[in-house]
Amino acid sequence: MAHATQVGLQDATSPIMEELITFHDHALMIIFLICFLVLYALFLTLTTKLTNTNISDAQEMETVWTILPAIILVLIALPSLRILYMTDEVNDPSLTIKSIGHQWYWTYEYTDYGGLIFNSYMLPPLFLEPGDLRLLDVDNRVVLPIEAPIRMMITSQDVLHSWAVPTLGLKTDAIPGRLNQTTFTATRPGVYYGQCSEICGANHSFMPIVLELIPLKIFEMGPVFTL
Amino acid sequence: MLATRVFSLVGKRAISTSVCVRAHESVVKSEDFSLPAYMDRRDHPLPEVAHVKHLSASQKALKEKEKASWSSLSMDEKVESLCFLLHKCGFGEKWLNVAEEGAADLCACKWLSSLPPVYRIKFKESFAEMNRGSNEWKTVVGGAMFFIGFTALVIMWQKHYVYGPLPQSFDKEWVAKQTKRMLDMKVNPIQGLASKWDYEKNEWKK
């Protein structure tokens, strides 16, 4: 989860998110360079003493400032596509969980080895204990094992929602009548938070997602989701 | 029109330059924009007309003297004569170049406060005069700071009369317990919150 005044990305909990953080640093650096260049040019424009208004035919300069942005775009596109294809790699998930969005809660179905289905509602403010995370904590968390590829099948039962967990680099729309798939592998145990990311009505801000990632040995011991 | 007259009284150009200009009718003499007009512009050094259209007697006399040989001019008159000025600057008969800022600075700077009358016939302001700074920035900055301060007052009023209380989770004890919980969960242990906590000594890292 983010702390109160956080601006940057949360620390990564999956290898894809680590890649995304590096890519973000790379793209942001390019953005800063371009912005600085433009600000500098603007400053020069505002403080120049020159008054020639008949400048034309600067073919060499025009060629450069066409080719150079094209190169910059390629330098952004290549790492981006690399990560995009990385997310689609064949990884043979160990577990498949279904996540169904409702107004205004999530339903999770663990049907690989049995039939576990439960709802996950945000804890109302009156039900919070001191120290709980307001607007983030839920009654039933999604308990999953670490270091195992997990497939999430995401859909919705009514309107559009979006299932997002920033620290895993996940955000997948929940669309009624459609099954969207996303996979991830968590590298460290912990409790990870996300919030519904597609406007879905009055309580759109009040249907969070909470994943509890635990070691596989403990996960295998059976239903442990209301500890 | 009367309102803009008021502004001319303040006219140290401490407020909007364009408003002050409107108050000074000498600048806005001609309303017919299809006729050639005089203007003091840095990027338009040679206006279509001279500044003074109707020469006085002394001005006419000076012009006649200028046409004759310059050796007949006294030293003062040489200083006053525009053409001689140009010749001294090495631009010969090319009086066009007087408008180049470089030349103006080079030669006219010495005569800044007392530019020769011949110059003043052709031009209203020298380059140095037309490019001078103003006090407008003080008004702008002061106005901006005033309105920011006013906004602060509005926000204080809102906080007191409009907004409800903050949720429980903003209480100090709650935040303390919450932070402890986040540290126990090792939230963002690589570069974020938990990375700043020393788990051995049970305190924030120095």
Side-chain angles (χ1 to χ4, degrees):
Chain A
M1 58 169 285
H3 69 256
T5 54
Q6 182 162 337
V7 180
L9 297 167
Q10 296 176 29
D11 286 343
T13 307
S14 74
I16 301 282
M17 189 56 195
E18 288 170 27
E19 298 280 350
L20 284 170
I21 290 174
T22 311
F23 173 71
H24 175 263
D25 290 344
H26 166 72
L28 194 61
M29 182 53 76
I30 294 177
I31 289 169
F32 281 159
L33 285 172
I34 294 172
C35 284
F36 181 74
L37 183 68
V38 171
L39 279 172
Y40 180 59
L42 190 61
F43 174 74
L44 290 179
T45 310
L46 289 173
T47 56
T48 186
K49 296 276 187 282
L50 306 169
T51 55
N52 185 351
T53 52
N54 292 326
I55 302 170
S56 62
D57 277 344
Q59 317 294 23
E60 302 78 11
M61 184 167 69
E62 299 228 359
T63 311
V64 168
W65 74 28
T66 307
I67 300 293
L68 213 52
I71 294 174
I72 291 173
L73 287 175
V74 169
L75 287 178
I76 297 174
L78 290 179
S80 174
L81 290 171
R82 186 182 135 259
I83 299 174
L84 182 64
Y85 280 88
M86 206 184 282
T87 59
D88 275 344
E89 274 172 3
V90 172
N91 62 355
D92 194 23
S94 322
L95 198 56
T96 301
I97 316 288
K98 289 174 230 136
S99 165
I100 299 144
H102 302 263
Q103 282 178 313
W104 289 277
Y105 60 96
W106 295 93
T107 304
Y108 298 104
E109 296 186 7
Y110 290 61
T111 45
D112 279 351
Y113 306 103
L116 171 64
I117 302 174
F118 61 90
N119 294 334
S120 178
Y121 282 83
M122 181 188 86
L123 288 182
L126 295 169
F127 285 61
L128 291 173
E129 303 284 315
D132 283 351
L133 299 168
R134 190 177 68 96
L135 305 184
L136 282 177
D137 272 326
V138 297
D139 50 4
N140 302 317
R141 298 179 183 152
V142 186
V143 179
L144 295 167
I146 56 169
E147 287 165 355
I150 295 165
R151 175 196 282 125
M152 296 294 307
M153 304 297 294
I154 300 167
T155 185
S156 164
Q157 214 248 332
D158 38 43
V159 298
L160 294 179
H161 302 270
S162 187
W163 197 84
V165 183
T167 185
L168 290 164
L170 298 175
K171 185 177 293 172
T172 309
D173 283 356
I175 299 165
R178 181 186 173 86
L179 267 183
N180 278 335
Q181 174 180 302
T182 190
T183 56
F184 68 91
T185 309
T187 52
R188 50 191 171 86
V191 183
Y192 304 110
Y193 294 86
Q195 293 176 290
C196 176
S197 300
E198 185 66 42
I199 185 81
C200 53
N203 288 347
H204 155 67
S205 317
F206 309 111
M207 47 182 292
I209 298 128
V210 186
L211 300 184
E212 188 175 319
L213 276 303
I214 56 178
L216 186 60
K217 283 209 167 55
I218 305 179
F219 184 81
E220 283 174 340
M221 289 190 325
V224 287
F225 28 79
T226 47
L227 265 169
Chain B
M1 214 45 222
L2 195 59
T4 52
R5 276 313 220 158
V6 169
F7 287 124
S8 79
L9 293 175
V10 192
K12 309 274 185 290
R13 286 174 80 192
I15 37 180
S16 165
T17 305
S18 57
V19 174
C20 290
V21 162
R22 271 188 62 81
H24 289 91
E25 287 158 330
S26 60
V27 177
V28 218
K29 227 181 334 201
S30 57
E31 261 88 34
D32 188 349
F33 290 106
S34 65
L35 294 172
Y38 178 81
M39 61 188 87
D40 281 315
R41 281 182 60 117
R42 198 158 62 84
D43 55 350
H44 192 67
L46 302 176
E48 282 89 11
V49 296
H51 171 54
V52 175
K53 278 196 275 234
H54 308 292
L55 299 171
S56 70
S58 60
Q59 283 171 329
K60 280 183 187 157
L62 192 56
K63 279 297 216 190
E64 288 303 317
K65 252 199 154 162
E66 221 187 338
K67 285 179 189 169
S69 164
W70 292 341
S71 52
S72 66
L73 295 172
S74 72
M75 201 53 210
D76 280 337
E77 283 167 337
K78 276 182 190 167
V79 169
E80 284 191 14
S81 160
L82 185 62
C83 300
F84 186 74
L85 226 162
L86 291 157
H87 194 74
K88 283 292 279 181
C89 298
F91 288 96
E93 300 268 297
K94 294 195 192 125
W95 74 273
L96 294 157
N97 293 325
V98 73
E100 280 183 26
E101 202 166 3
D105 282 347
L106 197 60
C107 309
C109 63
K110 287 186 210 159
W111 294 280
L112 201 53
S113 53
S114 55
L115 273 169
V118 183
Y119 185 91
R120 292 290 175 190
I121 291 170
K122 263 262 172 334
F123 305 104
K124 180 170 180 277
E125 290 181 311
S126 71
F127 269 82
E129 283 165 11
M130 79 168 84
N131 291 337
R132 73 183 177 278
S134 75
N135 286 325
E136 190 178 352
W137 70 269
K138 295 180 193 174
T139 313
V140 173
V141 170
M145 293 206 288
F146 172 79
F147 281 109
I148 291 170
F150 179 72
T151 306
L153 284 177
V154 169
I155 292 171
M156 284 161 62
W157 180 88
Q158 281 178 330
K159 178 86 176 94
H160 192 267
Y161 286 101
V162 179
Y163 297 143
L166 285 174
Q168 272 183 305
S169 50
F170 284 82
D171 297 341
K172 283 197 99 155
E173 305 83 26
W174 195 299
V175 171
K177 288 206 167 110
Q178 192 173 285
T179 314
K180 183 81 184 76
R181 184 165 160 218
M182 284 162 73
L183 290 172
D184 291 340
M185 289 200 289
K186 293 225 168 91
V187 166
N188 292 333
I190 301 156
Q191 288 183 314
L193 190 73
S195 69
K196 309 261 189 318
W197 178 261
D198 193 335
Y199 282 93
E200 268 117 56
K201 294 195 200 140
N202 238 359
E203 56 183 15
W204 292 107
K205 283 184 185 164
K206 301 274 184 302

